[in-house]
Amino acid sequence: MCIRDSYKTEQMSIDTLDLTVYNVKTGPTYTVNNSTKVGFEGAYSDIKLAHQDYLEISSLQADVEKVIHPKVKVSAYGKIENRDFTNSRTTTTYEDKDGKAREFGATALVAATPKDIFNISLTHRREDTQTLYNDNVQKSVTLAYTRVLPKDMFFNASWQSKNSQYKGVDILVSPTIVRKDNARTVSALLGKKFKGDWTVSANYQHAEADSNLVNYEYENEKILLSATKQFSHSW
């Protein structure tokens, strides 16, 4: 199967934050038995910031999914990425983040009822870059609840906590302190599916981060309205 999708945001007042993302991914999925599937995937993403080249990501992923009970499914994956940044006219440090990333994750999904789905996900990610102060290890946990509503509508609420530990000091920020962040995100989404693989949704998100370096602390809220169409091709 080959899937292509794109994502674009336009800022009302800060054009430098305009974001465009193009994705394509393909790979086979094998059914081992009635309860187990194994898949392999290659993917490519092209990300533009302020309508300029910003980041290209190529990745390979392997995953396994197993139904261990009629209402319980577990899955796990491993992924490697190659990340290629491009400096902009005003920022010459993006390419310091060039390098590879390795990510591993596991999810347990419980269908308490046909319309109520709970899941918990754990993720471990390591990013190796051109500079020690950009190298980091991230660990996260995500809790989510999905409710299937009438008329092809659905509701999703999620909470995520992520810890990021960096490996070296950035002397331009602090000559002695190695960065460590703790971020939390809460979101709620209401969506509806339409014919032709269209999905329309409204999403509220609140995010905040604590850090031992005040430069990296933040708190923000977002309200997102989106219309998404999925294109796929199967061989």
Side-chain angles (χ1 to χ4, degrees):
M1 175 178 288
C2 179
I3 297 176
R4 301 181 298 274
D5 59 63
S6 63
Y7 172 81
K8 184 176 183 179
T9 63
E10 294 283 346
Q11 303 296 317
M12 295 285 291
S13 57
I14 307 177
D15 292 339
T16 55
L17 297 180
D18 288 350
L19 185 69
T20 305
V21 182
Y22 299 98
N23 297 309
V24 60
K25 56 184 178 181
T26 185
T29 298
Y30 302 99
T31 300
V32 179
N33 51 48
N34 291 335
S35 63
T36 306
K37 294 182 179 180
V38 176
F40 302 92
E41 179 182 283
Y44 171 80
S45 298
D46 182 11
I47 302 173
K48 297 184 184 298
L49 186 63
H51 309 288
Q52 300 178 35
D53 290 339
Y54 172 64
L55 172 61
E56 293 180 76
I57 303 173
S58 54
S59 65
L60 294 173
Q61 177 174 315
D63 54 77
V64 60
E65 176 184 294
K66 185 174 181 63
V67 177
I68 61 175
H69 183 274
K71 294 185 176 182
V72 181
K73 180 172 65 178
V74 295
S75 60
Y77 72 90
K79 178 170 66 173
I80 56 174
E81 291 179 358
N82 184 69
R83 308 191 309 153
D84 184 13
F85 287 82
T86 300
N87 289 336
S88 70
R89 292 189 297 268
T90 57
T91 304
T92 59
T93 57
Y94 288 152
E95 293 179 9
D96 292 345
K97 298 180 182 180
D98 284 356
K100 299 186 183 301
R102 287 169 286 174
E103 182 176 317
F104 304 92
T107 298
L109 182 149
V110 179
T113 74
K115 296 183 178 181
D116 297 285
I117 302 169
F118 299 85
N119 67 58
I120 179 172
S121 299
L122 303 175
T123 303
H124 183 280
R125 179 180 175 88
R126 174 175 173 173
E127 296 180 351
D128 297 312
T129 69
Q130 303 298 307
T131 53
L132 192 61
Y133 60 80
N134 280 318
D135 292 354
N136 67 87
V137 174
Q138 305 169 19
K139 299 177 182 179
S140 67
V141 57
T142 303
L143 304 176
Y145 165 71
T146 300
R147 171 71 177 181
V148 180
L149 302 173
K151 298 182 178 180
D152 291 323
M153 297 182 68
F154 58 93
F155 170 78
N156 177 269
S158 66
W159 171 88
Q160 182 186 77
S161 177
K162 182 172 73 172
N163 172 268
S164 301
Q165 176 67 64
Y166 290 78
K167 294 186 178 181
V169 297
D170 182 351
I171 59 174
L172 296 179
V173 179
S174 171
T176 58
I177 299 176
V178 178
R179 178 182 171 188
K180 183 178 181 180
D181 300 343
N182 290 284
R184 295 165 300 282
T185 303
V186 178
S187 66
L189 181 147
L190 181 64
K192 179 176 174 59
K193 296 181 179 180
F194 293 89
K195 293 181 179 179
D197 292 323
W198 280 97
T199 301
V200 175
S201 63
N203 184 27
Y204 168 79
Q205 183 182 94
H206 179 272
E208 60 182 359
D210 299 321
S211 177
N212 58 349
L213 294 172
V214 68
N215 306 56
Y216 300 105
E217 293 187 340
Y218 65 85
E219 181 175 2
N220 63 50
E221 293 181 305
K222 297 179 182 178
I223 297 177
L224 305 173
L225 301 176
S226 67
T228 304
K229 180 175 176 59
Q230 179 172 298
F231 299 90
S232 64
H233 179 75
S234 299
W235 289 277

